Every structure is written in C-alpha cells, then in structure tokens.
Amino acid sequence: MRGSSVALTVSVPLEAAATLALPGVAGVVLDAVLAGRPVGWAVGGLAALLAVGAAASALAAVAGPACTAADTVALRGALVRRVLWLRPFPSAVERLCGERPGPGDLTARLVGAAADAGAARAARLAAATALVTSAGAVLGLGVLSPWLAVAFFAGVLPGVVLVRLFMRTAEDVFVRYQEAQGRLADRLADALAGVRTVRAAGAQRQEAARVLGVLPELGDAGRALWRAQRRTVGQVTLLVAAVELTVLGTAGQLVAAGRLPAGAFAAAAGWAALGLGFFEQVEALVGVAHARAGLARVREVAGLPGPGAGGRELPDGPGELVFRSVLVRDDEGAVVFGPLELTVPGGATVAVVGRSGAGKSLLAALAGGLRLPDGGEVLVDGVPVAALSVAERRRAVGYAFERPLLIGPALDEALEGADPAALAAARADGFLARLPHGGRTPVGELQLSGGELQRLGLARLLAGNARVVVLDDATSSLDAATEHQVDRALHESTRGRTRLVVTHRAAVAARAGLVVWLDGGRVRAIDTHGALLADPAYRAVLSGAAADADERRDGRSRGPGERRARVR
C-alpha cells in the first residue's frame, strides 16, 4: 500500500494548490477580458488548473480509502498481537475496578475503534490541507490589499475558538460513546458465556435489561454530539456569512475607489470562500475527532502489562524448577500470592491442589513465565525465567491446559507436528482416525467434546521436548477410565522430565512425589499426599475442588450478571 500512501500524500495537496490558484487566474482572465487583451493563454491556464484539480481529486478519492483500509489492517494486527501478549493474570485491582478491558470491550476496540483510528491519516491530511488552503487564501487576500486580510481576520479569530471548542467536545463525546460500546459488548459476552444458566433460570428478560442498560449512555453521548454539531454549524454559518460580506464589501469599495482592478473583486470572492472553507468543514472535523478517539482507545491496550521477555538461553540440565521468595502484588502493592519457597528437583513430580481461586493456575503460569513475579524469581536450571527469550521459555516449559485452544488453519498445524506416538499416548488417535479429512480437517469444522479437546492439547504437549511439563487441570474433562489411561501414558512419555500438575483429584495427587497445598494465594502446606491426608481440611479441599471442577465442566459456574471468571 506504499503507492496508495504516496498517491494520497501528493494528490490532496495538489488538489488544494490547484483550487487555491483558481481565484487568482480567474481574476487575471476577467481583467484581460475587460481590457480587451488576448485571453487564450489565460483561459488555457484556467483549463489546466481545472484539469489538474479534477485529476488530483479523483486520485485522492481512490487512494484515501485504500490508505484507510491498510492502516486499519495494521492497527488491528498490532492490537491482536498485543492482546495475545497481555499478562494472562490481571491484578485484583484490575479485575475489581474494571481497569483491564474484558473480551467484549477488546472486541469492540478491534472492530470499532481500530476502524475509526484507521481513518486518522486521511482525516488529518484533509484537515491539514484545508488549514493550509485557508492560510494560502488569506495570503492571497493580503497580496491584493492588507485591508482585505484585516477584514477577514476580524471574523476568523472567533471561528478558531468555535472550532477548538467543538473539537474538544466531539473527542470527549466519542471516547464516552466508544467506552459505552465496550461495556455493552462486555455484558453481551458475559451473557452469551452463561446463556445456559440464563435460560435454565428463565432470566432472559432480566439479562437483556442488564446488557441493554448501557443504551441510555450511548443515547446521551450521541445527543451531546448532535447538539454540539448543530450549535457549531449554526454559529459558523452566521460567522461565514458575516466575514464574506465584510470582505466583499471592502473589496467593492476598493474597486470603486480605483485602488483595485475589477478582476481583484472576483479573486477576493474566491479566496474569501476558500479561507472560510476550513470552518465550514464541520463533518471533516468530526472525522478527525472520531479518529483521535479511536486511536486513544487502541493505544490504551498498548499500555497494558505483558509478561516481558529476556534474551538468554538455557544450559543443559535436568529441569530443576526453583521458586525463590516468589510473590505477586496487586496494583496497590498488597501481596496477593506468596511468598513461595519451593524447589522441584529435575525429573520430580509436584501436584498443586487448592480450592477455586487459591492461585493454582497462577503458580502454573509463574513456572513458565506466562506471569512474571513482582518479587523474587523463578529459575529453570539456575537461569531466571524472566531472562529467557520467548522461544527459549517455550522450549523449556511446556503447557497443557484445562481448556486448550487449537491454533492454525488445519488440525496438523494446530497439533504442531504431534506424531502417532504422542496421539496414542494422549488417547487421541481413535477419534482422529474417524475424521473424514484426517489431519487436514479445518480447525473451524471440528466438533469436539471437552475431553477430546484436552487430549489434543496433551498430544501437542507431548510433541515437544520441554524439560519442565506443566499440566493445568489438563485431564479434568476426561472420564475416570480414560484419565487413568492417559495418566499412565503421560507418566511414561514424560519420564525423566520435571512435572508440575494442577489437579483436584486425590489419585493424581497420590502419584506425585510432593503436594503443594494453596489456600488464598498462600502456601498452607508442602508435604506428601499421604501425610496431608491426616488433615481433614485437606480432604475437604480435594472434595470441594472436585465439585468446583465438575461444576465448571457442566457449564454451571456462571450465573446472570456474574463477573467474568479469572483467566486461566
């Protein structure tokens, strides 16, 4: 799109220059006609200016939308990449105060705000060109007579104030409007996520009222913009008429007094209209304000925290995982997780248990740098995870999640080269063999249960050779028999690797060499499963965590109007 950018940059000023030259050339033609001089060359120049202006206008009409589309694509691509790179665990303040955009709001920014911001270049170029054209017209008036410039400026200064006030109001209104759109999208996303609960409770009407409760804000913002635009247009229209009358009256007196030729009157009329054109382009100014508001919404996402990355590589090692004084703080500085002191020897297996919200998935994320600690450090074979490059982290620490996401156009790409052995170990080979197109099946056409999706996630994990394996409730959707088979296969396939297993099942915890029991973001105990079983509270945690997991799997964990669950 470089050609479109160059074409737009050249065509808009060229059109403005041709338009700006027209009044002067027209005045020269008029003077030549009145004086009886030959006008062929002047008429030819006038025709050439008209042709250049028309060609530049046509080129701008083609290049402008192309540049806007290219800028919108670039902004949306950058926004998606940034969203995917965001810190997966927002702080407590971000969650409770709404400072972290939700999925619906991010979607609104991607679809709406990015499109508005994509028009920024064309809108700014058009506004800047109109401003330069106005300045050139004023210069032309001044060349004809300083009194014409004085007459023009007498009315322009109030117009500048009006435009400035309107731009400030319009931009604030657009930001309010887009923020309300984001809240509406967030509420709708919540409602769709819990639609089964809404239907079961017969709460469709109440939930619809909650989702649409933002509409009055949208209406207020729209009406505020219309009022500001109507007021500004009315004031500018009166001002423009007054300035034109003043300039034309002054020019008429100068012509009558013989201080200017008759053609100067025509030139003054044309330049006065061009000079005031900037103030008549309220719609163009609305476009600039709209684009600026959209760009501000897009840039807000760029300021959200990401996991960060270093550039070091790991030495050879057994995969020892060390949490050294690790803690996580919220935005007010309060500790919400830790401090944690834990060493997982290379090749050992550690289970992480606790009720929902205890911090299990946060601990799993800390292991591989998906969330960097606010204090202390996590080390793999003596190297801080924060110092590793993104690629090195991925090679060092492999993940399988409770709700894995298949990424890629077809299944083969989504599984990242998982071989038949990995598919068999994850017990995914059976249902994959029934797919009509096998590995070339488009991901969007897959109809998979939660358990089947988890098995594909496990196969993808086994396809890599990470020295540390993190299983974040990665078998919670499997039935007991399949889970037992998969656990045995995983045990064999990951023999010799370090394993961190987030689980809610006693059988999985029993097979681990060590159990980390989390409670409210703190470590309540670290011991073997057998030793911890003596504590009734530990047994209650396993029972309660299993119930929580079953509820999540059945889709009953979110009711109408509930806040989004923590990102896992």
Side-chain angles (χ1 to χ4, degrees), residues 116-129:
D116 295 336
R121 177 164 48 162
R124 286 172 175 171
L125 182 59
T129 303

Side-chain angles (χ1 to χ4, degrees), residues 275-294:
L276 293 167
F278 179 77
F279 302 104
E280 295 177 318
Q281 294 185 9
V282 176
E283 290 296 332
L285 297 177
V286 168
V288 174
H290 209 164
R292 289 175 61 179

Side-chain angles (χ1 to χ4, degrees), residues 478-500:
L478 304 181
D479 60 80
T482 303
E483 183 183 28
H484 179 70
Q485 295 173 346
V486 170
D487 280 342
R488 290 184 57 186
L490 281 174
H491 183 77
E492 294 298 323
S493 300
T494 60
R495 185 183 297 275
R497 304 191 213 178
T498 306
R499 288 170 286 202
L500 193 66

Side-chain angles (χ1 to χ4, degrees), residues 1 3-5 7-8 11 55-69:
M1 288 298 173
S4 298
S5 179
L8 181 66
S11 61
S57 177
L59 184 59
V62 174
C67 287
T68 296

